[in-house]
Amino acid sequence: MSLNSEVAGVLNEIGEIYEANGDLFRSRAFRTAAQRIASLTEDIGEIHAEGKLMEIPGVGRSIASIIGEYLETGSCALLEELRESLPPGVLELMQLEGVGPKTALRLNRELGLTSIDQLEAAAREGRLRGVRGFGAKTEENILKAIQEHRSRLERHLLGGILPLIRGITSYLKGDEAAIEVKAVGSARRMAETVGDLDILVSSERPSMVVKRFTSMPNITRVISRGRTKSTVMLGKGVRVDLRVVPPESYGAALQYFTGSKEHNIKLRKMAKERGLKLSEYGLFERDSGKKIAGEDEREIYRHLGLGWIEPELREDRGEIEAAASGGLPRLVGYGEVRGDLHIHTNWSDGTGTLEEMAEKAREMGLEYIAICDHSKTLGIARGLDEERLREQMREIDRLNERMEGLTILKGVECNIKADGSLDLSSSVLRDLDLVIAAIHSGFKSDEKQMTERLIKAIHNDHVSAIAHPTGRIIQRRRGYPLDLDRVLEEASRQGVLMEINAFPDRLDLNELNSRKAGERGVTLYIGTDAHTPSQMDFLPLGVAVARRGWLEAGSVANTLDVEGLLRRIGKG
Ligand code: DGT
Ligand code: CA
Ligand code: CA
């Protein structure tokens, strides 16, 4: 959305709520102003910067101050107040495309509807037709809007989005009108889930790019299509927003559409304090209107007195302040991780053989991997007992003799029993390179029991690391009750590593907990938990979590070479 249509949307909604409340005079004033702003060719932000809002026909002092407030703070107190004054449920109904305050209030007053679920039921039962002015077509539109609303709410795992991005960008790059093509928004920030996917293209011929975009093969519906932007729905229920901008404002657009919104709001405020104005079109001097940056994203940060801020950090979690004082971390790089420390094979519940997993690691350029199949009490995963584990260790020795350029470490993902002890005997654990302990059962225990169980495992002499420490599964399971602070404290004291599990729906520890761990002096490592060779490609998802957790290479054990790693875990 351009800034103009965003501002128009705010004014329009205020107008609609006034109308619904019967205040037709105020309603008309706001709606007229909204229309004028939506049809302006000049950027509203620039008009504001020049102090000329009141020169727009229909914009008086009070509307001008509302626009100014929104442009500067990203929110509007009047609108929030008006929204709060609505009866319960009306706001929820208004989230639907085509349902403004007026319609929502009528649905609420005349049919007593207070939620989208109730509206859906009413529409399906044909009850909407009882309301004057509503017909079969209204019902149909509302059901469609509900369906789209639901798929909009659905967030997608980053792990599923990244391959999609590769496909879309290479398709768009196939058109010579496209100069730069980049995923922006939450995907560029590598957030663990992505709402809609945003794609930014720089081009001198935007209509060519839009045309190619809307003819992608996997589109189920073109939601909108304009001269420089378009929105489509893909087969997997993923919504994709395209924006095409000219090269001279590509950097500014990259900055703006990468977000996050919170990061942008703070940056815009900072620009303002320096007598500058930042928008998706560029960075300008407020008084003269002179453009000082726009083509290159780095220049924007530089002119604000900031070092480059990696997209993964742009969440307004202190990164702007850190950049201003030169205190940003040197984030662990995607290429710095030398080995994958959590790999399964067909010896337990994986599908790949030892050789296949090793071969894949070599293709990826890794220096080492740790084979960590399940242990015996995990029956459903065909966990290994002492004897089978010994057998696998011998097999790994043989494979290591043949393998060039890759070291295969002998490990296990050992089950932590209810009493905190491990399910394999010390005599075999002591001969392994890497013992990762993990909880796979008894999730119903209380916080104290769970915490004690993990702490006991951390104190076990054979344990070097804890896998997926909280047990959460994104969108499915919250993770067991746990006093993570205590666990981290003990891990730090005992020198036990904490995992960043890179499996797309785990990402455990998550970014906030990883950051906390790093701050407490805990060393982490990244493991994919791959059960097939191709799942080893999840490694960058784990690195992204580490980066979003502000971690430097020094806090990530598998940036060490194999000797360094073994020394770090007391096996060297
Ligand atoms: P998502 O789609 O929920 O995973 O999250 P994002 O961050 O991709 O958000 P989206 O798609 O709504 O917008 C993409 C970027 O555009 C967002 O990260 C920052 C920018 N943006 C969107 N709305 C606003 C806004 O109201 N104010 C400002 N300053 N920036 C915005
Ligand atoms: Ca997005
Ligand atoms: Ca978007």
Side-chain angles (χ1 to χ4, degrees):
M1 227 187 335
S2 76
L3 208 49
N4 290 26
S5 51
E6 204 176 309
V7 169
V10 169
L11 299 179
N12 203 45
E13 191 177 336
I14 293 173
E16 282 193 50
I17 300 180
Y18 278 134
E19 183 185 353
N21 288 335
D23 190 341
L24 296 184
F25 176 74
R26 282 215 179 98
S27 164
R28 196 166 314 122
F30 276 91
R31 283 174 173 241
T32 308
Q35 271 165 18
R36 300 282 180 158
I37 288 164
S39 59
L40 284 178
T41 46
E42 226 182 310
D43 176 48
I44 187 83
E46 281 168 37
I47 301 176
H48 173 53
E50 291 160 10
K52 292 181 177 166
L53 283 178
M54 282 168 66
E55 290 176 19
I56 304 171
V59 175
R61 187 171 305 281
S62 77
I63 293 186
S65 94
I66 287 170
I67 297 173
E69 177 199 357
Y70 183 77
L71 290 174
E72 285 156 28
T73 66
S75 64
C76 168
L78 173 64
L79 177 57
E80 272 155 36
E81 203 176 291
L82 285 170
R83 282 178 171 175
E84 275 168 29
S85 72
L86 294 167
V90 170
L91 267 185
E92 181 178 323
L93 299 179
M94 279 165 55
Q95 290 174 19
L96 299 174
E97 184 75 31
V99 177
K102 201 176 160 199
T103 309
L105 266 171
R106 286 189 67 197
L107 292 167
N108 174 264
R109 286 183 186 146
E110 299 181 31
L111 295 173
L113 303 177
T114 58
S115 71
I116 290 174
D117 286 344
Q118 289 176 8
L119 176 59
E120 183 177 23
R124 291 201 189 286
E125 291 158 16
R127 279 190 282 137
L128 299 190
R129 292 175 217 185
V131 179
R132 198 161 49 85
F134 286 12
K137 187 77 192 156
T138 320
E139 255 166 31
E140 194 184 308
N141 286 340
I142 281 183
L143 285 171
K144 209 162 150 189
I146 291 174
Q147 200 187 2
E148 280 182 12
H149 173 73
R150 297 235 160 97
S151 64
R152 210 166 40 233
L153 284 185
E154 202 177 302
R155 298 186 64 83
H156 309 274
L157 296 174
L158 181 64
I161 292 292
L162 293 183
L164 214 56
I165 291 175
R166 281 192 285 276
I168 294 173
T169 47
S170 73
Y171 183 83
L172 291 178
K173 279 179 180 161
D175 193 313
E176 60 177 23
I179 302 167
E180 305 271 1
V181 179
K182 209 161 179 62
V184 287
S186 51
R188 182 167 180 234
R189 302 196 311 276
M190 298 288 276
E192 62 186 32
T193 63
V194 169
D196 66 1
L197 174 56
D198 305 281
I199 303 284
L200 181 69
V201 175
S202 79
S203 172
E204 305 279 11
R205 288 171 293 164
S207 56
M208 304 274 288
V209 178
V210 170
K211 189 168 165 215
R212 185 162 177 95
F213 179 72
T214 50
S215 61
M216 286 190 302
N218 47 347
I219 291 178
T220 52
R221 198 162 94 78
V222 175
I223 296 173
S224 72
R225 181 184 173 149
R227 209 175 56 80
T228 61
K229 59 186 178 182
S230 169
T231 299
V232 301
M233 196 63 133
L234 298 187
K236 290 178 181 159
V238 179
R239 215 177 79 125
V240 190
D241 273 350
L242 169 78
R243 272 299 277 249
V244 191
V245 300
E248 62 268 22
S249 58
Y250 177 68
L254 198 55
Q255 196 292 312
Y256 181 86
F257 290 108
T258 296
S260 66
K261 189 174 168 183
E262 292 72 20
H263 174 91
N264 286 355
I265 288 171
K266 187 164 276 180
L267 214 58
R268 206 188 294 169
K269 190 163 150 260
M270 208 176 148
K272 198 169 167 268
E273 285 161 6
R274 299 181 155 233
L276 303 172
K277 201 194 73 88
L278 176 62
S279 73
E280 60 189 276
Y281 305 106
L283 185 64
F284 304 87
E285 281 176 3
R286 189 171 53 220
D287 298 334
S288 65
K290 186 170 157 251
K291 183 167 171 179
I292 50 181
E295 192 173 346
D296 180 36
E297 192 184 37
R298 280 174 195 267
E299 286 294 292
I300 294 190
Y301 285 98
R302 195 171 68 80
H303 282 284
L304 292 171
L306 302 173
W308 165 250
I309 302 179
E310 307 267 9
E312 289 92 332
L313 295 181
R314 300 185 194 171
E315 300 290 346
D316 190 19
R317 292 180 185 154
E319 73 281 5
I320 294 177
E321 294 78 355
S325 67
L328 278 177
R330 231 188 70 91
L331 296 184
V332 53
Y334 288 96
E336 279 187 281
V337 173
R338 299 169 182 238
D340 186 339
L341 293 184
H342 189 160
I343 287 179
H344 294 273
T345 70
N346 61 356
W347 282 67
S348 68
D349 61 348
T351 61
T353 63
L354 275 170
E355 289 87 337
E356 284 163 352
M357 300 309 273
E359 202 41 61
K360 170 72 182 178
R362 260 207 335 197
E363 272 168 34
M364 290 171 69
L366 295 180
E367 294 172 22
Y368 53 89
I369 53 174
I371 301 298
C372 295
D373 273 313
H374 292 288
S375 59
K376 63 185 172 191
T377 51
L378 206 60
I380 44 163
R382 301 197 301 123
L384 307 181
D385 60 13
E386 285 81 357
E387 200 181 324
R388 291 268 297 151
L389 189 52
R390 287 266 180 221
E391 220 178 297
Q392 187 189 48
M393 288 160 72
R394 284 192 292 273
E395 183 66 36
I396 292 174
D397 283 337
R398 281 194 289 275
L399 202 52
N400 267 328
E401 273 167 33
R402 287 197 272 126
M403 275 280 159
E404 298 250 326
L406 180 80
T407 305
I408 308 166
L409 300 174
K410 291 169 277 189
V412 71
E413 180 180 7
C414 197
N415 217 6
I416 304 173
K417 294 196 286 190
D419 66 358
S421 65
L422 302 185
D423 72 344
L424 290 173
S425 66
S426 296
S427 59
V428 64
L429 292 177
R430 113 165 34 97
D431 293 338
L432 291 163
D433 299 313
L434 178 68
V435 175
I436 301 178
I439 288 180
H440 290 106
S441 60
F443 288 18
K444 296 256 155 56
S445 315
D446 63 21
E447 178 179 312
K448 190 162 172 297
Q449 289 167 320
M450 277 307 202
T451 307
E452 289 308 324
R453 206 169 151 190
L454 270 185
I455 288 179
K456 189 162 170 203
I458 286 171
H459 282 264
N460 185 308
D461 281 346
H462 301 296
V463 171
S464 293
I466 302 291
H468 41 73
T470 74
R472 68 100 175 235
I473 308 276
I474 299 176
Q475 292 165 343
R476 278 200 292 137
R477 193 170 80 197
R478 286 172 68 152
Y480 31 77
L482 192 66
D483 183 347
L484 188 67
D485 288 330
R486 274 197 64 208
V487 170
L488 294 178
E489 197 184 302
E490 291 300 323
S492 160
R493 206 173 289 159
Q494 299 298 319
V496 165
L497 311 178
M498 287 282 138
E499 182 174 84
I500 295 176
N501 188 296
F503 212 82
D505 64 358
R506 280 199 183 266
L507 304 182
D508 180 10
L509 297 177
N510 68 14
E511 60 201 40
L512 291 177
N513 289 333
S514 294
R515 184 169 173 182
K516 199 191 256 186
E519 286 166 358
R520 307 276 163 89
V522 175
T523 306
L524 298 96
Y525 72 96
I526 297 157
T528 61
D529 211 346
H531 285 67
T532 68
S534 66
Q535 289 177 348
M536 290 169 67
D537 289 328
F538 296 150
L539 200 62
L541 296 174
V543 185
V545 172
R547 289 166 64 84
R548 288 175 61 83
W550 290 52
L551 298 183
E552 303 196 343
S555 296
V556 181
N558 42 348
T559 59
L560 295 167
D561 61 18
V562 71
E563 290 80 17
L565 174 79
L566 289 172
R567 262 199 308 278
R568 173 68 186 71
I569 56 180
K571 294 281 183 177

